[in-house]
């Protein structure tokens, strides 16, 4: 037997060789003519070289190497593969590549996009409703005041009953508007029903905000701005707070929606917004602070479509609103309330630093998002991710700068005004009024932060989560500021009737809960009093409380040690050792600021 390998491995193929029918060796040089006894061996043994044969023509089959003189297995050589020739450039190919869109975010409106946006908006509104409905406490003194006044106004309108007080002289809104509506709901569904009325107004506000933000920019910016606005403390609290703030915000949003929606309509169509704007001012006088913004917005929204004719639109809206406001103010008895609560409001003692700090805490994140959106919008107007958007005509940078300045500047109107007044009262609600107008720009800021095609979604999620946590914490704190009055009402209910004279730290609360047993004119507060004693001597201020308690003028005294601690101490000192009164109950309570207690005295003789 002979020693041999079981197989043969051919030499590497050089692709740069000439196609002359011969093969190259591994070193890339053509084989040289070998001497007659050249050795080709697989091992140490030597075999004689076979004489070259004539080259056979190439066939399609795999060529077989010629056999040696020994009984070896046949081996197979590599062969070149003939590739398909590439057609010339002028020849038409047999197939075509289908056209594909330039970007995934299509510019064209579609039913699918509309329904997806509405579904996301519905989720946002459900979150907003859940955040508001989770709040719980008994009636706040402002809620109790407006609801009790509404019941009194209803009795006056339906039965001709005299009003216990001139509510129009000191209310910051018309007592014939929201209080009457809320009292009608309260009579049927109670305090929860009146608060759900506010929730309805705030949910409608969210829907309107989405609508006009979408028309100003696009769906993504509208959804982002709406999502931020829905979790603000002011939005959550006003959504379950039976005051006229929610109704006023809704009417301002409706006015803005009409102005934006009619930007391409005939100029006269803008007058549809005038009566709604005047109604917003009637519901809450402070709403007038935002009317200039709406009037200028009428100009800016129409300018890209109407040019100089947009000035006529702005003037027409201003004249319409001004004329209706003037007629309303001078044909009603509301001017005293306007002066006392708005134009000539007494100045407080809160510092500018404190007010700015509170404003930043309640709306600073959203305001920063709005400012960032305005700056980025001025730098780049393109709102659509599709490259086709580059071919569209966009408003100039001056127009964009004015729009950003208008919307963001409106957010600082309420804080600036309250810094001027030096008071923090109602600032947490008024912050939400201004941020309603800044929300569209905040939506632009979020979309630019996230990037095209949701490149950095985690940034938008982080911002929204931070605002959500702040909104929940601040809303919970806000609803825990006042004490739960249910035990106090139970303790005094049997001692109240239509003939008594009563003193309380927050008289509005027992007036509301015991409306069937007492009237508003029977209750006195700790914020100013006038008293005339039996000798005809006139007393005012702190002296009035001391003299009235000394004479036993009050049939019931309820102090909470929280609303006005200074006067509380004066009244408590006057009651101490007074034979006209005895202590009925001490009811402890806990609120956001700590612990205190209700102290209740009743008249013994």
């Amino acid at each position: 037997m002979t020693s041999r390998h079981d197989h043969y491995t051919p030499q590497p193929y050089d692709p740069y060789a000439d196609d002359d029918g011969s093969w190259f060796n591994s070193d890339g040089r053509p084989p040289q003519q070998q001497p007659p006894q050249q050795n080709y061996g697989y091992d140490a043994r030597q075999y004689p070289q076979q004489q070259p044969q004539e080259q056979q023509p190439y066939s399609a089959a795999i060529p077989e190497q010629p056999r040696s003189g020994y009984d070896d297995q046949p081996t197979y050589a590599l062969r070149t593969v003939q590739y398909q020739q590439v057609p010339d450039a002028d020849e038409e190919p047999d197939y075509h590549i289908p056209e594909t869109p330039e970007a995934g975010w299509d510019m064209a409106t579609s039913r699918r996009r509309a329904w997806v946006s509405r579904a996301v908006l519905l989720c946002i509104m459900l979150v907003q409703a859940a955040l508001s409905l989770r709040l719980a406490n008994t009636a706040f003194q402002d809620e109790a005041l407006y609801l009790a006044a509404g019941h009194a106004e209803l009795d006056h309108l339906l039965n001709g009953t005299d009003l216990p007080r001139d509510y129009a002289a000191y209310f910051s809104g018309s007592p014939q508007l929201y209080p009457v509506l809320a009292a009608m709901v309260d009579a049927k569904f109670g305090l929860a029903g009146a608060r759900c009325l506010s929730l309805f107004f705030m949910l409608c506000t969210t829907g309107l905000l989405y609508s006009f933000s979408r028309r100003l920019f696009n769906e993504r910016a509208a959804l982002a701005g709406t999502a931020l606005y829905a979790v603000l403390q002011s939005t959550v609290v006003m959504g379950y707070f039976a005051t006229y703030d929610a109704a006023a915000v809704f009417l301002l949003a409706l006015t803005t929606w009409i102005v934006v929606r009619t930007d391409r309509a005939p100029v006269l169509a803008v007058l549809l917004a005038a009566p709604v704007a005047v109604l917003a001012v009637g519901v809450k006088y402070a709403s007038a602070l935002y009317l200039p913004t709406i009037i200028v917005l009428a100009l800016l929204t129409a300018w890209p479509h109407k040019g100089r004719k947009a000035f006529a639109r702005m003037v027409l809206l201003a004249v319409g609103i001004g004329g209706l406001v003037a007629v309303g103010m001078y044909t009603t008895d509301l001017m005293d309330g306007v002066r006392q609560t708005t134009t000539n409001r007494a100045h407080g003692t809160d510092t500018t630093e404190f007010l700015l700090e509170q404003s930043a805490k309640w709306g600073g994140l959203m305001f920063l998002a709005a400012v960032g959106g305005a700056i980025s919008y001025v730098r780049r107007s393109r709102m659509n991710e599709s490259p086709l958007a580059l071919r569209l005509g966009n408003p100039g940078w001056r127009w964009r700068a004015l729009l950003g300045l208008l919307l963001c500047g409106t957010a600082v109107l309420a804080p600036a005004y309250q810094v001027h007044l030096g008071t923090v009262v109602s600032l947490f609600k008024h912050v939400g009024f201004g941020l309603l107008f800044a929300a569209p720009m905040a939506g632009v800021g979020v979309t630019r932060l996230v990037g095209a095609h949701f490149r950095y979604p985690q940034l938008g999620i982080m911002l929204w989560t931070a605002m959500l946590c702040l909104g929940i914490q601040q809303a919970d704190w806000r609803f825990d500021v006042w004490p739960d009055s249910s035990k106090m009402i139970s303790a005094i209910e049997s001692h109240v009737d239509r003939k008594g004279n009563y003193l309380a730290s927050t008289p509005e609360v027992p007036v509301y809960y015991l409306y069937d047993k007492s009237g508003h004119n029977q209750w006195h507060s700790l914020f100013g009093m006038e008293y005339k004693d039996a000798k005809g001597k006139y007393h005012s201020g702190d002296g009035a409380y001391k003299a009235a308690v000394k004479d036993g003028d009050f049939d019931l005294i309820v102090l909470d040690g929280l609303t006005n601690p200074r006067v509380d101490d004066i009244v408590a000192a006057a009651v101490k050792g007074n034979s006209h009164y005895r202590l009925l109950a001490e009811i402890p309570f806990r609120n956001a600021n700590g612990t205190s207690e209700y102290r209740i005295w009743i008249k013994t003789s």
Side-chain angles (χ1 to χ4, degrees):
M1 295 183 61
T2 60
S3 174
R4 58 182 176 82
H5 290 287
D6 293 336
H7 63 277
Y8 168 73
T9 303
Q11 297 297 323
Y13 166 63
D14 187 355
Y16 298 100
D18 294 332
D19 191 11
D20 57 355
S22 62
W23 299 97
F24 277 61
N25 293 322
S26 59
D27 58 359
R29 296 191 302 271
Q32 305 294 330
Q33 186 69 28
Q34 301 295 333
Q37 292 297 324
Q38 182 72 24
N39 292 332
Y40 286 83
Y42 300 121
D43 48 26
R45 299 182 59 180
Q46 297 180 349
Y47 303 93
Q49 180 182 4
Q50 299 292 330
Q51 296 297 325
Q53 301 179 2
E54 292 185 5
Q55 184 174 354
Q56 299 295 329
Y58 178 79
S59 61
I62 299 175
E64 182 177 345
Q65 296 282 15
R67 296 177 181 271
S68 64
Y70 297 91
D71 189 16
D72 267 336
Q73 296 291 331
T75 59
Y76 300 92
L78 296 176
R79 66 181 176 86
T80 59
V81 179
Q82 295 182 357
Y83 294 97
Q84 184 178 0
Q85 296 295 328
V86 179
D88 296 335
D90 56 349
E91 295 183 6
E92 292 292 335
D94 295 336
Y95 64 91
H96 298 277
I97 300 176
E99 294 184 1
T100 56
E102 294 185 70
W105 187 269
D106 192 9
M107 292 175 59
T109 58
S110 64
R111 178 174 297 183
R112 176 179 177 272
R113 177 185 294 184
W115 281 109
V116 169
S117 298
R118 291 167 186 168
V120 176
L121 176 63
L122 178 61
C123 294
I124 293 172
M125 295 171 72
L126 289 175
V127 171
Q128 176 185 344
L131 294 178
S132 294
L133 291 173
R134 62 186 293 274
L135 302 175
N137 202 344
T138 54
F140 182 58
Q141 62 187 83
D142 287 352
E143 296 178 289
L145 172 62
Y146 302 138
L147 292 176
H151 285 293
E153 292 285 350
L154 272 178
D155 289 342
H156 177 69
L157 293 173
L158 300 178
N159 306 318
T161 306
D162 293 335
L163 291 173
R165 292 186 179 181
D166 185 10
Y167 297 111
Y170 68 98
F171 269 25
S172 55
S174 173
Q176 290 86 26
L177 294 177
Y178 172 79
V180 172
L181 176 62
M184 293 171 63
V185 177
D186 177 70
K188 187 70 175 179
F189 302 103
L191 177 62
R195 286 175 169 175
C196 286
L197 176 65
S198 295
L199 178 60
F200 170 76
F201 285 134
M202 291 308 299
L203 292 176
C204 291
T205 299
T206 301
L208 291 170
L209 170 61
Y210 165 79
S211 182
F212 68 73
S213 299
R214 176 180 174 271
R215 191 166 180 89
L216 286 173
F217 301 111
N218 60 18
E219 290 92 344
R220 289 178 60 185
L223 290 173
T226 301
L228 294 180
Y229 187 76
V231 298
L232 278 175
Q233 176 207 199
S234 55
T235 304
V236 174
V237 172
M238 287 191 295
Y240 207 59
F241 207 53
T243 62
Y244 39 54
D245 297 280
V249 171
F250 162 71
L251 292 171
L252 287 174
L254 181 58
T255 306
T256 306
W257 178 83
I258 294 173
V259 169
V260 175
R261 188 66 180 83
T262 58
D263 57 351
R264 304 176 190 180
V267 173
L268 290 176
V270 77
L271 287 177
L272 295 173
V276 183
V278 174
L279 186 60
V281 175
V283 169
K284 183 180 177 66
Y285 304 142
S287 301
L289 188 64
Y290 305 97
L291 294 186
T293 295
I294 296 175
I295 292 172
V296 176
L297 194 62
L299 167 66
L300 293 179
T301 53
W303 181 266
H305 313 291
K306 299 182 180 299
R308 297 184 182 275
K309 292 182 180 179
F311 283 102
R313 188 170 186 258
M314 178 184 68
V315 173
L316 192 62
L317 179 60
V319 171
I321 292 176
L324 291 177
V325 168
V327 170
M329 289 292 102
Y330 290 100
T331 57
T332 62
D333 56 349
L334 303 178
M335 284 303 298
D336 290 339
V338 173
R339 295 190 186 98
Q340 181 172 340
T341 63
T342 306
T343 58
N344 297 332
R345 186 171 180 172
H347 288 230
T349 59
D350 295 319
T351 64
T352 300
E353 181 181 1
F354 172 74
L355 294 173
L356 292 178
E357 178 185 351
Q358 297 303 307
S359 300
K361 182 171 66 175
W362 295 330
L365 275 179
M366 188 167 181
F367 180 71
L368 289 178
V371 172
I375 295 174
S376 66
Y377 186 55
V378 172
R379 296 180 61 188
R380 180 170 65 90
S381 64
R382 177 182 168 192
M383 292 301 302
N384 201 293
E385 297 174 4
S386 173
L388 297 175
L390 295 173
R391 307 172 190 173
L392 301 178
N394 295 310
W397 71 269
R398 293 181 179 85
W399 184 93
R400 302 196 303 271
L402 288 175
L403 182 64
L405 180 63
L406 177 69
L407 297 181
C408 294
T410 305
V412 303
L413 290 180
Y417 182 63
Q418 299 213 211
V419 166
H420 166 69
L421 294 177
T423 178
V424 75
V425 175
S426 298
L427 177 59
F428 79 95
K429 296 181 292 185
H430 295 163
V431 165
F433 278 66
L435 290 178
L436 170 69
F437 296 92
M441 273 301 170
V444 175
V446 173
T447 58
R448 296 290 170 83
L449 185 67
V450 171
H453 297 282
F454 301 97
R455 180 173 297 178
Y456 306 108
Q458 66 274 16
L459 299 180
I461 294 173
M462 288 170 59
L463 176 61
W464 184 81
T465 303
M467 289 192 59
L468 173 66
C469 295
L470 284 175
I472 291 175
Q473 185 269 331
Q474 293 169 358
D476 288 346
W477 181 87
R478 179 64 55 184
F479 250 68
D480 198 33
V481 167
W482 66 92
D484 186 331
S485 60
S486 55
K487 294 182 179 179
M488 180 270 290
I489 295 298
S490 299
I492 68 174
E493 185 175 7
S494 60
H495 301 279
V496 174
D497 56 33
R498 290 286 179 179
K499 300 179 181 180
N501 192 33
Y502 312 112
L503 177 68
S505 297
T506 54
E508 299 84 2
V509 175
V511 168
Y512 167 67
Y513 282 109
L514 304 175
Y515 182 76
D516 294 336
K517 294 189 173 185
S518 64
H520 211 151
N521 54 358
Q522 296 178 255
W523 291 84
H524 303 275
S525 72
L526 302 182
F527 291 94
M529 179 181 171
E530 295 178 353
Y531 175 69
K532 189 176 182 180
D533 60 20
K535 298 179 180 180
K537 186 177 180 180
Y538 176 79
H539 303 270
S540 63
D542 296 346
Y545 294 108
K546 296 177 182 178
V549 172
K550 181 179 178 181
D551 295 342
D553 185 64
F554 301 116
D555 297 293
L556 181 72
I557 300 175
V558 182
L559 304 179
D560 60 14
L562 178 68
T563 307
N564 193 343
R566 187 186 66 81
V567 181
D568 266 21
D569 294 340
I570 293 174
V571 174
V575 172
K576 186 177 181 180
N578 193 317
S579 59
H580 294 295
Y581 297 97
R582 69 176 178 88
L583 184 65
L584 176 65
E586 290 182 342
I587 304 173
F589 62 81
R590 176 181 293 275
N591 68 344
N593 297 319
T595 59
S596 186
E597 62 180 3
Y598 283 110
R599 292 174 291 174
I600 306 172
W601 291 270
I602 60 171
K603 189 176 180 179
T604 57
S605 59

